[in-house]
Amino acid sequence: KTSPFTPSPPMNFSCAGRIDATSAPQFKLGSASGTAAGTVSGFAVSAVVEPTLPAFTPMGKEPLTGGYGYNVNLTAKKKDAFGKGSADLSLFLDGVQNGSKAVPRFSVAKKVEGVALDVSYSKKGNAVKVAATLPAQSGWVPKLEYGTGNSTASASVSGKVDKIKLTAKADYNTAKSKVAWKLAATAPVADTGISATAEVKDTLGGMISLAKGNYSLELPVASYAGVPDPMKACIKVKFSQKF
């Protein structure tokens, strides 16, 4: 006889992160995570552990800044969770290490008449967020969002002109009646494999960055009316490994 129980595939383990180096000089773990992922009863489940470590300054009076800690998040996702052709369901539990203070969230996503809809809820602040990604128009993809957690409505569009990727986003805070916007352009640097990005915000500041593979160089710009301070540049190195 065939057993009604079909074992799930084994869990997969991986780690990923980023090391940030500034001209101070200071080195810190910009981000890090260890992930265990697998399938349980049709749900793609994962447990992610995110450690936090102090920054290290090899030259200076304060060799270590910040503290140690960790964060644990659980995720379970299932496509067509309510039957064939139905919506996709995602369940989250953030901050598991906090016990009863862990924050549950969920989201439901479905494509309707070419519009990708996503509705999410978080117990933190009883916040609801609705997002709609509209069908591309002449290569441009518009997206609309509204979240009660930060009382912000957003509209964005992204697309390409030749080899240049352009994005524009505007946020309107309904509680403060305040508008913020951001423009960004990313283009390849000849045939070097390097991509250059320039970002401009409503403050007329932003960021200039160069990236290739797992390496990037970022230079914050306080104001494009002046000259950026090269001492504020940051080199970021990403790493990842599957086991």
Side-chain angles (χ1 to χ4, degrees):
K1 294 182 179 180
T2 304
S3 171
F5 173 74
T6 303
S8 297
M11 299 290 284
N12 298 314
F13 299 91
S14 62
C15 67
R18 191 188 74 237
I19 297 174
D20 299 349
T22 62
S23 55
Q26 186 181 81
F27 301 89
K28 69 176 182 179
L29 199 61
S31 65
S33 65
T35 303
T39 303
V40 177
S41 299
F43 278 85
V45 299
S46 64
V48 180
V49 179
E50 300 173 330
T52 54
L53 301 174
F56 174 64
T57 305
M59 298 175 60
K61 298 181 180 180
E62 299 291 338
L64 294 176
T65 58
Y68 296 91
Y70 67 95
N71 194 53
V72 181
N73 300 323
L74 302 179
T75 303
K77 298 182 177 182
K78 187 173 185 179
K79 292 186 67 64
D80 296 335
F82 309 101
K84 187 176 180 180
S86 64
D88 300 338
L89 175 66
S90 299
L91 306 173
F92 308 90
L93 188 60
D94 300 335
V96 176
Q97 77 283 357
N98 296 323
S100 61
K101 294 183 180 179
V103 179
R105 299 184 291 120
F106 74 85
S107 70
V108 179
K110 182 174 176 59
K111 205 164 189 177
V112 181
E113 299 295 332
V115 178
L117 299 173
D118 190 299
V119 179
S120 60
Y121 168 81
S122 174
K123 185 180 178 182
K124 185 176 182 179
N126 285 324
V128 176
K129 185 174 182 179
V130 180
T133 303
L134 308 179
Q137 302 293 329
S138 301
W140 295 89
V141 181
K143 184 176 182 179
L144 303 174
E145 300 174 274
Y146 179 74
T148 63
N150 56 6
S151 301
T152 299
S154 303
S156 62
V157 64
S158 61
K160 274 189 173 183
V161 176
D162 197 9
K163 295 182 179 181
I164 302 175
K165 181 181 178 181
L166 301 172
T167 60
K169 184 178 182 181
D171 298 324
Y172 176 68
N173 188 298
T174 57
K176 299 179 180 180
S177 297
K178 183 178 179 180
V179 177
W181 54 264
K182 179 173 66 176
L183 304 174
T186 301
V189 180
D191 296 321
T192 61
I194 298 174
S195 61
T197 300
E199 178 187 273
V200 184
K201 298 181 180 180
D202 55 285
T203 58
L204 299 186
M207 179 83 70
I208 297 174
S209 63
L210 298 173
K212 182 176 182 179
N214 292 330
Y215 302 88
S216 63
L217 172 64
E218 297 183 355
L219 178 61
V221 179
S223 173
Y224 281 96
V227 178
D229 182 359
M231 297 303 292
K232 293 184 178 180
C234 180
I235 296 176
K236 298 184 176 182
V237 182
K238 296 179 181 178
F239 60 89
S240 62
Q241 180 66 52
K242 292 183 178 180
F243 304 99

